[in-house]
Amino acid sequence: MNAKQTIEAGKAILGIEFGSTRIKAVLIDEQNKPIAQGAHEWENQLKDGLWTYSIDAVWGGLQDCYADLRNDVKRQYDCEIESLAAIGFSAMMHGYMAFDAEQQLLVPFRTWRNTNTGAAAAELSELFQYNIPLRWSISHLYQCILDNEAHVSAIKYLTTLAGYVHWQLTGEFVLGVGDASGMLPVDPQTKTYDATMVEKFNQLVAPKGFSWKLLDILPRVLVAGENAGSLTAEGAKRLDPSGHLKAGIPLCPPEGDAGTGMVATNAVKQRTGNVSAGTSSFSMIVLEKPLSKPYEKIDMVTTPDGSLVAMVHCNNCTSDLNAWVNLFREYQQLLGVPVDMNEVFSKLYNHALEGDADCGGLISYNYISGEPVTGLSEGCPLFVRSANDKFTLANFMRAHLHAAVGVLKIGNDILFKQEKVEVDRITGHGGLFKTKGVGQRILAAALNSPISVMETAGEGGAWGIALLAAYLTNGKSQSLADYLEQVVFAGNTGVEIAPTPEDVAGFDRYIQNYMAALPAEQAAVESKK
């Protein structure tokens, strides 16, 4: 069956992911290959000191993204999407979306990027004896309680962005286990919220006299392959205002972008891992056993099928790097030279590899926003050098590339050097890897591990959630790991780059300099307040 026939027969599968700067839709065929896509650009706003996206932006963006997909289908195949075999939604994990009994948002959506929850996260980490990050939903909820925010008593539903969109389109208040593990810790045995922690939280807030208990307001947890409801008539109209899309299409559990990244890189099996490097970055290493103790720099989440994962999450990655590259674009324009941004990135990135392995002593802090791993509640991008450092273009660009994954290295050094975690394969995906071989080599040096990149890695999380929707309909007789390994990827592990001893030693020196000069970044942040 060709792509046109697949679409007309209603056998195509749709995945949509809400990323930090883009909402992306990917349509796949019965062989899990992308056959059409759509996109919508969007940006968060800083309102009243908190990062948010408006509800209008969520729905307007979703509808525009789907309309863009429809147009791509019409352009390529001259047909209309009437029905689908399955749909999946994913989005940025964590954050805070609280609703009342009428399903009205009580306060603006607070995204993963906010770092105002330090007091709550610290107290809960101590209470649970488990690292509770600033961005997790439970941290946001408890911070609202500590701050005596009036809306808390009216909460009826608390969910993530992916859970919200899914809920509104299906009527099912559910969440995939991976995304749920970013709301509250999940027990890998029961594959739902940790019962002991739920009880401790209820006891902690009992004196407040709220009408709800924690499980009353959290979504029901589902694992990959479980039915998560179907598209309602109202949901179909909301997704596709043109009226072509029919109701009744099954949906897989909504997931977070970390989970879809694992799926898109075939990294849900134990001893595998992946690194997503774009606006933010995070690494996911699927563990064979729990870590020996909690670490503030490492978050414990799960794969979409419930295996334990050590996650190092960094709020900043390529935004500052892109800003510097844009300066070179402006310079070219000033000279009257035609600009091809792909060429600008390629030239600068590849030239960086000619720099010194330790960047000649140059240091960059890429903190557009706060960075919890290094203890910064707010950000202030900063470039640091001494008079004796080797200030060349190659070292300058290499320092910014190192900065993009530097904080990621700090967290992963705990896993590999202290906990002696072993991995068979780490796969990279995201914007950092678009210039062939460069980001891959830098990351290999940072983690002192071979890094693979697949041709399909550029498809990203929208493809990953489409694969989870395909697993819902096609993978009943196999585990998710086996389905990905045997059916989707069929043994393809991508192109691998191993680190050189020189690069590894150079990155270690860079991080030593980075940590030594961190007080300068802290002072810069203070000076901007």
Side-chain angles (χ1 to χ4, degrees), residues 432-451:
L432 185 66
F433 305 105
K434 284 183 179 178
T435 300
K436 189 174 181 180
V438 179
Q440 195 174 354
R441 177 174 158 184
I442 297 295
L443 182 63
L447 301 188
N448 191 15
S449 173
I451 303 296

Side-chain angles (χ1 to χ4, degrees), residues 395-413:
N395 281 338
F396 178 80
M397 286 308 303
R398 188 161 184 148
H400 289 295
L401 284 165
H402 277 212
V405 295
V407 179
L408 199 68
K409 173 181 172 59
I410 293 167
N412 277 279
D413 278 352

